[in-house]
Amino acid sequence: MEFSDSIKQLRKDNKLTQEQLASKLHVTRQAISNWENNKNLPDIETLIEIATTFHISLDQLILGGTNMNKMTEKLIEDGNTGRSAKMNLIATVIGGFLMLGGLACFIIKSLSVEYIDAKGILHENFFLIPVGFAFLATGILVIVVTLGAFLYNKKRLSK
């Protein structure tokens, strides 16, 4: 059973109008109408409120039976989208820190003092230049790959 059928049946079984149900759930009557006409679906907080109001389990409300319906697909997609967004954010932050580390290497190199000691040995932290470039390149690569994955997933989901 689709969510639209479930919510309409629950409302009718409890002898409620769309306005009365909307008042109980703190939404508009148009939201109830859209749910019942399968135009859109409620968010998870509203689903919990519906289940509490009608004293039914979320499984019964969402699944309505054994078949996967649009509500179940929406919840799965929302979960995947949330995880993907979180991973993109983490990867972007890591890329940003790597780039900052590269810039820090260059700043330290530019501010450090190079000298020749009494034995004629040059003391210079030359290693900071390749390390700085490695950090910058890695940071840029992480951000570019993350952006590419984001755009690929966005294109794939829009189809």
Side-chain angles (χ1 to χ4, degrees):
M1 177 184 284
E2 288 292 326
F3 178 77
S4 58
D5 300 328
S6 296
I7 193 72
K8 186 182 284 187
Q9 190 63 44
L10 282 170
R11 181 179 61 80
K12 288 183 177 183
D13 289 348
N14 288 279
K15 298 176 179 63
L16 296 171
T17 65
Q18 286 183 345
E19 285 186 10
Q20 291 169 329
L21 179 58
S23 175
K24 282 182 177 251
L25 299 176
H26 311 292
V27 296
T28 64
R29 185 203 57 77
Q30 289 82 2
I32 303 295
S33 175
N34 287 337
W35 299 342
E36 289 183 359
N37 292 317
N38 217 8
K39 290 184 180 175
N40 63 22
L41 299 166
D43 58 16
I44 190 69
E45 292 86 9
T46 307
L47 284 172
I48 293 169
E49 195 168 347
I50 293 168
T52 304
T53 300
F54 292 115
H55 307 290
I56 60 173
S57 70
L58 282 172
D59 287 343
Q60 185 179 354
L61 178 63
I62 294 169
L63 298 175
T66 58
N67 295 336
M68 188 180 252
N69 58 27
K70 286 184 182 177
M71 175 58 71
T72 309
E73 291 170 3
K74 179 184 185 281
L75 290 173
I76 291 170
E77 182 180 319
D78 286 351
N80 290 339
T81 303
R83 277 191 297 279
S84 177
K86 185 177 179 181
M87 292 305 294
N88 286 344
L89 176 64
I90 290 169
T92 303
V93 168
I94 290 171
F97 276 120
L98 287 169
M99 289 176 26
L100 286 175
L103 291 175
C105 287
F106 293 134
I107 291 170
I108 291 169
K109 171 66 176 130
S110 69
L111 296 176
S112 66
V113 177
E114 302 163 354
Y115 64 94
I116 299 175
D117 65 9
K119 295 180 182 177
I121 298 174
L122 175 63
H123 292 275
E124 175 185 18
N125 38 4
F126 62 89
F127 64 90
L128 288 174
I129 293 175
V131 170
F133 279 122
F135 274 138
L136 275 177
T138 306
I140 290 169
L141 181 66
V142 166
I143 290 175
V144 167
V145 168
T146 301
L147 179 63
F150 170 75
L151 293 174
Y152 172 77
N153 284 334
K154 188 174 180 181
K155 183 179 178 182
R156 185 177 53 101
L157 291 175
S158 67
K159 288 183 178 180

